[in-house]
Amino acid sequence: MNTSIDCTFKTEQGKFNFRIGVIIANGRKVLMARNPKEKREFYYSVGGRVKFGESLEDAVCREVKEETGIVCEADKMAAIHENFFVDDDDVPYHEISLFFTLKPNEKLLNLPDGHRTDDGPDGEFLKWIDLDDCEGITIYPEFFRTMDFAGDEVKHFITREDCFSQEPEAKAMDETAIAYTDGSYNTANQMWGYGACLYVGDEEYEISGKGKDLYSGRQIQGETTAVLAVCEKALSLGVKKLEIRYDYEGVRQWALGMWKTNKPYTQDYAKRMQEYRRQMEITFTHVKAHTGIEGNEKVDKLAKAACRTF
């Protein structure tokens, strides 16, 4: 038995956790855990705290063995999650989780719903959650709903609850920051890409990335992801006023609640934009695509390069 101490400690402000999460996916179904003794009903990722002196891969294999009884092999890191939240007992948490995928394992994929864990909370069980049919179900982390588990890029997510005060490291920017955003789509590999440029005073920040088209949205998920990425960057820099210059009308309509959200990624986008709009003054300006506007042309190239569309 591993008797090492968990990588967690208390501070005067709250509690810090260093943990690993494990992505056990079968298509769009993900194996998640539930503790029926929790005050609220929600599902959470397989995983737990890393132990002092333990490698990440060893932590992955240990947690999967404890929760499923099955020996596995870690594959690759898929996501980094910085999570700032307050639990049901009003304890503030600063948590960093590294999420890994696993090498193919038929025993895991055939694990039935209701499997009881060996080393979790008393009564904890596992369930396959269909991410395309989980409306009304609370899951943590929420980015599981829109994440491409088969992608090669290590994704970085930051979740900060309203009640968790943000450290005043970044200087608040009184002037309006300008952002250009765009999305693209590669029909050859069915990947969407996104690009964004953020101008804060004399500084310019370029942001880009890609993902697998799981919802037949083509470039639209790139469009929405670009806006989310630039909002997160602006917030981290202390920006208080942000003007988003876009060429796809959906990014404005969904953000303002004017269009119905039918797909998981538009639902996630609308929800997160509500949060960003509570923390920043965000305005939208439509710019016509491919008209020689420097910022718009630059993000178009970034988005195309991200998914290799030229």
Side-chain angles (χ1 to χ4, degrees):
M1 177 182 292
N2 190 335
T3 57
S4 299
I5 298 174
D6 289 341
C7 291
T8 181
F9 57 84
K10 294 181 179 179
T11 73
E12 292 181 359
Q13 292 78 29
K15 196 170 184 179
F16 174 82
N17 277 341
F18 177 44
R19 69 185 303 276
I20 57 94
V22 187
I23 300 169
I24 305 174
N26 188 359
R28 288 288 294 164
K29 290 186 177 181
V30 179
L31 193 65
M32 305 194 78
R34 163 94 172 98
N35 179 3
K37 294 185 178 180
E38 291 285 351
K39 297 176 183 178
R40 296 180 297 113
E41 182 175 347
F42 62 90
Y43 292 85
Y44 44 90
S45 64
V46 171
R49 298 185 185 109
V50 178
K51 294 185 179 295
F52 186 82
E54 183 179 43
S55 73
L56 297 175
E57 288 81 1
D58 286 347
V60 168
C61 296
R62 173 181 55 79
E63 286 290 344
V64 174
K65 179 66 167 58
E66 290 175 354
E67 298 196 27
T68 69
I70 297 172
V71 176
C72 72
E73 287 187 74
D75 184 17
K76 60 186 177 183
M77 187 186 301
I80 301 168
H81 187 205
E82 298 179 65
N83 194 13
F84 303 88
F85 65 97
V86 177
D87 70 5
D88 289 338
D89 295 320
D90 294 325
V91 177
Y93 274 78
H94 177 171
E95 186 173 83
I96 296 177
S97 299
L98 305 180
F99 284 82
F100 282 75
T101 57
L102 300 176
K103 292 184 179 179
N105 188 308
E106 287 297 322
K107 289 184 178 180
L108 280 177
L109 297 183
N110 291 320
L111 205 66
D113 283 343
H115 176 87
R116 296 299 177 111
T117 65
D118 293 330
D119 199 34
D122 183 37
E124 183 185 49
F125 65 91
L126 303 177
K127 180 178 176 62
W128 290 99
I129 302 295
D130 187 342
L131 299 176
D132 291 333
D133 186 25
C134 61
E135 186 174 353
I137 299 175
T138 301
I139 64 172
Y140 298 117
E142 288 194 354
F143 62 74
F144 268 20
R145 297 179 188 272
T146 56
M147 184 176 173
D148 172 17
F149 301 121
D152 294 327
E153 179 187 11
V154 177
K155 303 292 182 67
H156 181 198
F157 299 92
I158 301 175
T159 305
R160 187 184 296 274
E161 291 187 356
D162 290 346
C163 49
F164 197 106
S165 60
Q166 186 171 1
E167 292 296 324
E169 294 292 333
K171 181 180 178 181
M173 305 293 180
D174 292 329
E175 62 182 300
T176 300
I178 305 297
Y180 288 88
T181 64
D182 202 8
S184 187
Y185 181 69
N186 187 338
T187 56
N189 58 17
Q190 295 183 322
M191 300 290 289
W192 50 261
Y194 68 89
C197 286
L198 174 64
Y199 301 92
V200 183
D202 295 329
E203 298 294 329
E204 176 183 351
Y205 303 87
E206 293 185 359
I207 308 168
S208 63
K210 64 181 178 181
K212 190 71 174 177
D213 183 20
L214 302 174
Y215 306 102
S216 301
R218 298 179 68 85
Q219 87 285 354
I220 297 176
Q221 192 165 353
E223 302 277 3
T224 57
T225 304
V227 176
L228 293 175
V230 85
C231 285
E232 188 63 44
K233 183 63 177 180
L235 193 63
S236 73
L237 295 172
V239 169
K240 296 301 181 183
K241 298 178 182 179
L242 176 64
E243 178 190 346
I244 296 173
R245 298 180 179 178
Y246 65 94
D247 61 18
Y248 175 68
E249 186 61 27
V251 300
R252 174 179 179 273
Q253 301 287 356
W254 284 316
L256 300 181
M258 300 174 71
W259 280 8
K260 185 176 180 180
T261 55
N262 294 318
K263 296 187 177 181
Y265 67 87
T266 57
Q267 293 167 355
D268 177 68
Y269 173 75
K271 180 178 179 181
R272 292 175 63 185
M273 286 304 295
Q274 287 181 4
E275 169 63 20
Y276 288 132
R277 292 175 62 217
R278 283 195 288 266
Q279 299 178 73
M280 291 184 291
E281 179 184 330
I282 301 176
T283 57
F284 294 87
T285 301
H286 182 265
V287 294
K288 192 173 181 180
H290 310 301
T291 55
I293 299 174
E294 182 179 355
N296 196 47
E297 295 296 329
K298 182 176 290 188
V299 295
D300 175 65
K301 291 179 181 178
L302 287 172
K304 287 179 177 177
C307 62
R308 295 182 176 86
T309 301
F310 298 98

